[in-house]
Amino acid sequence: MSRRRPAARGDPQRGMVTAEIAATFPALVLVLVMAVWGVTVAAGHLRCSDAAREAARAVARGEDLSVVRDVAAEVAPPGADIVVDEVGGTVEVRVSATMTMPGALGDTLPARTVSARAVALAEAG
């Protein structure tokens, strides 16, 4: 039966795990922040795509431009720019928005602009 002797006061192995965690913690925080930033940008792009598609459908049905803008504004990220162009029987809707990091870190990362466009045939009549 072997007995393990208690660690001596000057044992170099003592506190090693704590030091390793302290060294890797900033890297883990950075990875988490970048993951949240990536999800925020991806969600903004999806919302712009959905807004452009819904607005193009509304224009193709013959809705007024005020209704089209309301439809797009409901789906788009806050502060999005909505542009509707009608050219030769087709309607193009472009939605773009500037995405910032949510929370207290919003000013630390650069803003990213996401955009999407959708084209639909205009209804005759």
Side-chain angles (χ1 to χ4, degrees):
M1 182 157 124
S2 69
R3 285 194 150 186
R4 198 167 206 195
R5 123 184 127 108
R9 193 161 233 215
D11 191 358
Q13 297 292 322
R14 188 173 185 171
M16 187 118 170
V17 173
T18 305
E20 289 170 353
I21 290 174
T24 59
F25 188 71
L28 293 173
V29 170
L30 180 64
V31 168
L32 179 64
V33 166
M34 295 311 292
V36 169
W37 178 233
V39 168
T40 300
V41 170
H45 180 68
L46 287 173
R47 288 181 69 184
C48 285
S49 296
D50 290 344
R53 184 185 66 238
E54 293 299 323
R57 285 181 182 168
V59 169
R61 287 191 308 261
E63 300 287 346
D64 290 335
L65 286 182
S66 62
V67 173
V68 170
R69 289 189 190 285
D70 289 343
V71 166
E74 283 182 32
V75 181
D81 294 323
I82 302 160
V83 178
V84 180
D85 289 329
E86 191 169 354
V87 179
T90 62
V91 177
E92 179 181 7
V93 179
R94 291 184 306 274
V95 179
S96 62
T98 302
M99 302 303 297
T100 58
M101 180 74 172
L105 297 173
D107 296 335
T108 60
L109 292 173
R112 170 96 192 241
T113 301
V114 293
S115 63
R117 78 185 210 20
V119 178
L121 291 174
E123 277 293 317

